[in-house]
Amino acid sequence: MAWPDGRWSPLLFDGEPALSSAVFLAADGDVLTGQGAWQAAVGEPERFIPAPRRSPEQTLTVGGVGVDALDLIVATLRRVAGEAQHAVGGPLDDVRLVVPAGWGPRRRTWLRQAAHRAGLPQPRLVEAPVAVAGHLLATGVQLPVGSFLVVCDVGAGAEVTVLRRGPAGFEVLSTLADPTAGGDAIDHALTSTLADAGPGSPGGQGQWWALTASVRAGKHALADHAAVTVPLPAGPAVVWNGVLLEQAAQPVLERVAALTVEAIAAAEVDSASIIGVYCVGGVARMPLLEKTLTEVTGVDPVVVADPGLAAVRGAADAGAAEATGGVPVEEVSPVPPVRRAVAIAIPGFASLALVAQFLLTPEWMGGILGVIPPTALLNWGELAMAAVFAMIASLGAGTVIASAIAARDPAGPTAPGVQTATGILASVSLGSAIIGMYAVVGSVYIGTAVGPFLRWALLPVAPIVAVAAVLALVAARQWRVPRGGWSQLLAFPTGSVVTATAGMLCIQYSMTADRWPNMILFIDVTGRVGGALLGIGTIMAVVRQPVLRLILGAPMAVITAALVGPGASGILGVIYAIAVTAWWIRQLWTRILRPDRQPHT
């Protein structure tokens, strides 16, 4: 169900946001749909039709009686219509049905007749790959006019379509389908494995369907769990893991990959000119599909978020107003919860703590009283890190404020994207002013030239300012809206901030503390621990995956701990500033410029 302003919500059938096309024709002529049909199939399997829409015959024989397949489709659509009317409390204004791109006029007319007999308004038929492409545009994926893309739809069966985006919409260049290369084939292979295994194997068609229902539920559960228990109609339950599922799915997914290669060849498009292969459908959630497509086609596929609903959301313009003409609607982030506000404040407090220690704990060397002033040995790396954290805090706070203003008045005279861009630029200006103030105050307080202070304070944040300017331009032009909004995009990892700050504070303490004989060991150990913490914080900034953090964090901690010393403090601060810059560049690349190429980390 979608509304004109882009709001949407899935209909629920038996508690699930999907309705199986399977039906059961009772002896009295009633037609059961969805879960009820699967349950009734155990007792009278001859009256169960798992996929009436795919039947090549217009008349089926059920229980020895000829049945028009159209009546079975009508029963499912009638239930959908009833649930939809109940959800909105009235009649439906617009109905859109997603159909395979390979369907011809005969089957499309057949489906329109079914919708009419089910009491629905005249439906608009939308080809599934075109709907998926529209959904990609609505969610901010860049599909330039003239570009080619592949939509790999793997649900009960498989359909692979090559599309070209033209000035007026998407054009289907080729489409190939195979009903035996999808989830139904995987279910059949898994059911056959269990049916032939052990004395508890089911006997008879009725228990076959019961076993198939258990297999389907177990297969879906494996998408979120390492192992699941699958109950058998007869005999003890069995435990599944991903290995068993991949063994059954491998030949099916290899066929999907071959179908993709054939579709690209049929479209007469050079594979190098394909900007992306996008996977949708229930089977798209299996990691093995991505791996198989990459090995066979040489192209890294992209699994669309919520792949089971991508086509229907695209057909219904769910999440984007229809009048945008393919330009994504600005999604305004709501005001963040308290924990987000606290997380934004942490870099600010870290910056103040570092600059305070920097100014209050200089080490004075030389000088002749009244003749030559002493020289202050300063931890320039600490000033560099204070400047970086000040910029991070300013960007986080300014972007949240801009998002909150846009959320409060999205229809105001200024577009939400422009408001967000203004917030980013204002935050950069504020952060630069604070950093400049650090340099001037430090120069006056220490009593030396301001040049070194400006260099160590401003140069480390210069790359961050450049990236922020690009983000502001993207927001103002509304080229793309990052998933979760701008405030979430600019939220730097809090763990890295806390760890690195603690490390630099310990390093500075070890270099400036009074080295009493009984404190020398403690002071030296504190400095090495601080160096290790700074190294760990650096890895936390550039690496997301926990396993890689463990692998890379240990050697980095050893290196930075070994570098701790009066002459290397600036190097340590620069290392961390480089890591922060790398984080910002990665955010720009993976979340804005090429979100379809995000690393799986």
Side-chain angles (χ1 to χ4, degrees), residues 16-105:
E16 297 292 333
L19 177 63
S20 170
S21 60
V23 296
F24 178 88
L25 182 61
D28 58 2
D30 289 341
V31 180
L32 303 181
T33 61
Q35 190 64 30
W38 280 94
Q39 294 171 353
V42 178
E44 297 180 88
E46 70 280 0
R47 294 186 171 276
F48 179 67
I49 305 94
R53 191 191 68 171
R54 282 207 242 129
S55 173
E57 306 292 337
Q58 291 301 302
T59 301
L60 302 174
T61 300
V62 180
V65 179
V67 178
D68 188 352
L70 187 65
D71 293 334
L72 306 179
I73 303 297
V74 167
T76 299
L77 292 180
R78 186 176 289 125
R79 181 176 178 187
V80 174
E83 292 289 346
Q85 292 171 358
H86 176 73
V88 300
L92 306 177
D93 299 326
D94 185 8
V95 174
R96 306 178 191 182
L97 301 179
V98 177
V99 298
W103 271 24

Side-chain angles (χ1 to χ4, degrees), residues 247-601:
Q247 289 176 348
Q250 184 70 49
V252 176
L253 300 184
E254 288 178 352
R255 173 55 185 154
V256 174
L259 209 64
T260 303
V261 174
E262 294 170 8
I264 295 175
E268 299 182 351
V269 174
D270 184 5
S271 59
S273 61
I274 300 291
I275 65 170
V277 176
Y278 299 94
C279 300
V280 296
V283 180
R285 299 181 63 190
M286 295 183 60
L288 184 60
L289 176 61
E290 296 181 68
K291 179 182 177 182
T292 306
L293 284 173
T294 302
E295 293 175 350
V296 175
T297 66
V299 179
D300 293 330
V302 177
V303 177
V304 178
D306 202 358
L309 292 176
V312 292
R313 285 189 60 181
D317 299 321
E322 189 173 3
T324 58
V327 177
V329 175
E330 180 78 9
E331 297 178 6
V332 180
S333 299
V335 179
V338 174
R339 64 178 181 274
R340 285 287 307 280
V342 172
I344 293 170
I346 286 177
F349 288 118
S351 176
L352 293 175
L354 290 173
V355 78
Q357 188 185 46
F358 169 78
L359 294 176
L360 296 177
T361 60
E363 188 174 0
W364 297 96
M365 301 292 294
I368 300 176
L369 185 62
V371 179
I372 301 175
T375 302
L377 297 181
L378 299 170
N379 184 350
W380 296 112
E382 190 168 31
L383 177 60
M385 289 181 58
V388 169
F389 289 147
M391 183 60 70
I392 290 173
S394 297
L395 278 169
T399 307
V400 167
I401 293 172
S403 300
I405 293 173
R408 186 178 59 185
D409 188 19
T414 305
V418 175
Q419 294 176 341
T420 301
T422 303
I424 294 175
L425 295 178
S427 301
V428 170
S429 300
L430 175 62
S432 300
I434 293 173
I435 294 169
M437 183 184 67
Y438 284 174
V440 173
V441 171
S443 173
V444 173
Y445 184 80
I446 301 298
T448 185
V450 74
F453 290 88
L454 290 174
R455 285 195 299 272
W456 283 96
L458 294 177
L459 288 181
V461 302
I464 299 176
V465 171
V467 175
V470 176
L471 294 175
L473 178 62
V474 172
R477 299 298 297 272
Q478 300 188 43
W479 288 334
R480 187 177 301 278
V481 180
R483 185 174 299 278
W486 290 99
S487 61
Q488 181 176 341
L489 171 75
L490 302 180
F492 189 78
T494 303
S496 174
V497 174
V498 173
T499 305
T501 301
M504 183 54 78
L505 292 174
C506 290
I507 291 172
Q508 179 67 357
Y509 166 77
S510 70
M511 293 192 300
T512 59
D514 294 332
R515 302 180 67 85
W516 299 101
N518 60 333
M519 294 289 292
I520 292 177
L521 179 61
F522 173 77
I523 293 171
D524 289 341
V525 170
T526 301
R528 301 301 175 185
V529 171
L533 290 174
L534 184 57
I536 294 172
T538 300
I539 294 299
M540 293 174 67
V542 296
V543 178
R544 294 179 183 175
Q545 195 169 3
V547 175
L548 289 179
R549 284 182 173 180
L550 291 175
I551 295 174
L552 299 177
M556 188 64 182
V558 172
I559 294 172
T560 52
L563 288 176
V564 172
S569 59
I571 296 175
L572 293 174
V574 170
I575 289 174
Y576 187 76
I578 292 173
V580 174
T581 301
W583 182 87
W584 282 89
I585 294 174
R586 184 184 64 187
Q587 291 291 93
L588 174 63
W589 180 256
T590 62
R591 302 281 296 275
I592 299 294
L593 299 180
R594 295 299 298 274
D596 55 329
R597 303 298 186 201
Q598 290 189 34
H600 296 282
T601 58

Side-chain angles (χ1 to χ4, degrees), residues 190-220:
L190 291 170
T191 304
S192 299
T193 300
L194 294 179
D196 296 336
S201 60
Q205 191 67 20
Q207 292 202 10
W208 172 273
W209 292 125
L211 179 58
T212 300
S214 296
V215 164
R216 286 161 58 95
K219 182 186 71 175
H220 295 158

